[in-house]
């Protein structure tokens, strides 16, 4: 199983600090995915911190269900040469 890249660990730490939830990290062959549940209320500062963290990823998004809101970010692994 691939090891988690340092920038994915940093992104997870930023999301943990901003959301107060424990992010989930999933490793795949070509990318690392980080997901974090959002609190019910977000201040402008927290929202800005989350968006700044997500902006460092290759892809990111937001999933909403009837019970929770989750943000996710994917970081691509560098191709082996």
């Amino acid at each position: 199983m691939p090891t988690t890249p340092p920038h994915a660990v940093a992104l997870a730490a930023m999301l943990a600090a901003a959301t107060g939830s424990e992010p989930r990290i999933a490793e795949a062959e070509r990318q690392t995915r980080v997901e974090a549940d959002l609190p019910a209320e977000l201040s402008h500062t927290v929202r800005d911190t989350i968006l700044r963290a997500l902006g460092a990823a290759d892809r990111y998004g937001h999933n909403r269900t009837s019970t929770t809101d989750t943000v996710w970010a994917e970081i691509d692994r560098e191709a082996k040469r």
Side-chain angles (χ1 to χ4, degrees):
M1 182 60 64
T3 59
T4 304
H7 49 288
V9 173
L11 188 146
M14 288 178 67
L15 289 175
T19 65
S21 69
E22 186 64 32
R24 297 170 297 283
I25 299 175
E27 301 292 345
E29 184 178 334
R30 296 188 176 169
Q31 76 270 346
T32 300
R33 184 178 177 107
V34 180
E35 297 181 353
D37 295 330
L38 296 176
E41 297 294 323
L42 294 175
S43 69
H44 291 291
T45 302
V46 169
R47 187 181 324 263
D48 288 347
T49 301
I50 291 168
L51 291 174
R52 196 169 18 263
L54 295 176
D58 293 303
R59 284 168 302 288
Y60 59 88
H62 173 241
N63 295 331
R64 173 175 273 174
T65 68
S66 61
T67 59
T68 188
D69 284 299
T70 303
V71 292
W72 58 268
E74 291 180 342
I75 297 171
D76 292 334
R77 297 186 173 281
E78 293 185 23
K80 293 182 180 177
R81 300 180 195 259

